[in-house]
Amino acid sequence: MKKRDFLKTGSILALGALVAPLVSCGGEKDIKNDPPKTDDPQPNANTQVDPSFKLPELGYKFDALAPNIDAETVEIHYTKHHAGYVKKLNAALKGNAKFKTNDLAAIMAQVGKDDTAVRNNGGGHFNHSLYWDIMGAPKSDNQPTGDLAEALNKQFGSWDGFKEQFSKAAKTRFGSGWAWLSVNDKKELFISSTPNQDNPLMKNLVAENGQPILGIDVWEHAYYLNYQNMRGDYISGFFDLIQWDKVAASYKALVG
Ligand code: MN
């Protein structure tokens, strides 16, 4: 299994900028922007950060993705499932001696197979934040343009080639999980899928490590109310929801 050491310092910084609007954390401001004054008590290296990740704004109404994803599914998924991951992530980080950061990307890069609660709930928070952010009202003939379109053509042969391979990764993920379009450390696009709430940032756990720029949730809670067992129909509908301008901006931030 080849594990790519993608998240070097520079990449972590770039990633932080990329996901900062998505994965707000109340403690971050105090640490990064407000260095202590000389007459303030100096921070102790052993002091734990105060984990206070918050559910990000959805940015649209619950019915904005309809009919491709119905309002009730979005509401339950966002207010119950995603909110639950955030709450449990904060609980898992409180007093946790291993994760001395509230940078979610850095946590993803550090997480290992024994860190069950941080792995599942940190992944849950990261994954859903990306998922909500790259979706919007359905559009027909919804395709990327520019550099990202060219890169997709180069890597996957054509737009249809990309769509086919991404759909296959999403359809064939057994049980619960995600399919991803990511950028690796060679600045190449790749498609992968992960079980449960894992994602390509988890370099200790995945075969292909990279920065995800597009992801689809294929847990049944993401589609079952409307599509029941028809995961393929949900995936087809997802393609009309992708906000390619946002995906292209993430791509550009990573490859220059
Ligand atoms: Mn989900």
Side-chain angles (χ1 to χ4, degrees), residues 77 81-82 85 124 128 131-132 178 197 217-219 221-222:
H77 199 174
H81 293 273
H82 189 173
Y85 295 123
H128 288 86
Y131 177 69
W132 301 127
W178 291 74
Q197 296 296 353
D217 186 344
V218 294
W219 285 57
H221 67 227

Side-chain angles (χ1 to χ4, degrees), residues 191-240:
I191 290 169
S192 64
S193 84
T194 52
N196 304 316
Q197 296 296 353
D198 289 357
N199 65 52
L201 292 172
M202 297 179 179
K203 63 181 180 182
N204 300 315
L205 299 168
V206 296
E208 291 181 280
N209 173 223
Q211 168 67 51
I213 58 173
L214 175 69
I216 180 171
D217 186 344
V218 294
W219 285 57
E220 285 186 343
H221 67 227
Y223 63 88
Y224 207 85
L225 287 179
N226 192 36
Y227 292 98
Q228 289 82 49
N229 61 321
M230 308 296 282
R231 186 191 283 188
D233 292 348
Y234 158 68
I235 295 165
S236 296
F238 173 78
F239 277 96
D240 291 342

Side-chain angles (χ1 to χ4, degrees), residues 120-239:
N120 291 341
N121 296 295
H125 180 31
F126 180 90
N127 299 351
H128 288 86
S129 298
L130 178 63
Y131 177 69
W132 301 127
D133 190 54
I134 51 83
M135 291 195 293
K139 289 183 276 191
S140 55
D141 297 324
N142 186 29
Q143 293 185 26
T145 56
D147 291 347
L148 177 57
E150 282 180 32
L152 288 169
N153 285 337
K154 184 182 166 209
Q155 197 68 35
F156 306 108
S158 62
W159 163 251
D160 287 339
F162 160 72
K163 203 171 166 181
E164 190 179 321
Q165 290 181 52
F166 186 85
S167 299
K168 187 181 175 191
K171 279 179 196 163
T172 58
R173 162 50 51 195
F174 182 76
S176 299
W178 291 74
W180 306 100
L181 175 67
S182 307
V183 179
N184 68 19
D185 59 350
K186 293 176 183 166
K187 300 187 177 183
E188 295 164 343
L189 292 165
F190 70 95
I191 290 169
S192 64
S193 84
T194 52
N196 304 316
Q197 296 296 353
D198 289 357
N199 65 52
L201 292 172
M202 297 179 179
K203 63 181 180 182
N204 300 315
L205 299 168
V206 296
E208 291 181 280
N209 173 223
Q211 168 67 51
I213 58 173
L214 175 69
I216 180 171
D217 186 344
V218 294
W219 285 57
E220 285 186 343
H221 67 227
Y223 63 88
Y224 207 85
L225 287 179
N226 192 36
Y227 292 98
Q228 289 82 49
N229 61 321
M230 308 296 282
R231 186 191 283 188
D233 292 348
Y234 158 68
I235 295 165
S236 296
F238 173 78
F239 277 96

